[in-house]
Amino acid sequence: EELVLKRKTKIRGNIKKPQNALDAEEYLRAHFKTKVNITGRAGRGKIIIEYYSQEEQARILSILSSLKV
């Protein structure tokens, strides 16, 4: 079981992100001023925005709520 988990992690670690995902991460990092990670494939995925305090969470939520979609 441990070997299977290590193998999955290793395979995922070798997969390179598409350039558009890397560019989007960089843009969002600059906008939110925190770590952002984009994962996914075939039209599905996740955008993870990290925060390290309640104040930072409130700041990020304020930015998100002010966005016009």
Side-chain angles (χ1 to χ4, degrees):
E1 191 174 37
E2 245 181 51
L3 183 60
V4 171
L5 289 175
K6 284 182 183 179
R7 182 178 167 95
K8 285 183 182 179
T9 304
K10 188 173 182 181
I11 290 171
R12 287 183 187 157
N14 290 335
I15 296 173
K16 293 184 179 179
K17 286 186 183 182
Q19 188 61 45
N20 64 338
L22 294 171
D23 293 342
E25 282 180 350
E26 185 63 32
Y27 172 80
L28 292 171
R29 281 186 189 121
H31 189 72
F32 291 110
K33 296 180 179 25
T34 193
K35 184 175 179 183
V36 176
N37 189 24
I38 298 176
T39 60
R41 57 190 151 107
R44 296 182 55 179
K46 295 179 185 180
I47 300 173
I48 301 169
I49 304 169
E50 294 190 18
Y51 60 90
Y52 303 97
S53 68
Q54 287 184 334
E55 292 80 15
E56 192 171 16
Q57 179 192 30
R59 181 184 61 77
I60 292 168
L61 290 174
S62 176
I63 293 169
L64 288 171
S65 66
S66 69
L67 295 176
K68 295 179 180 162
V69 182

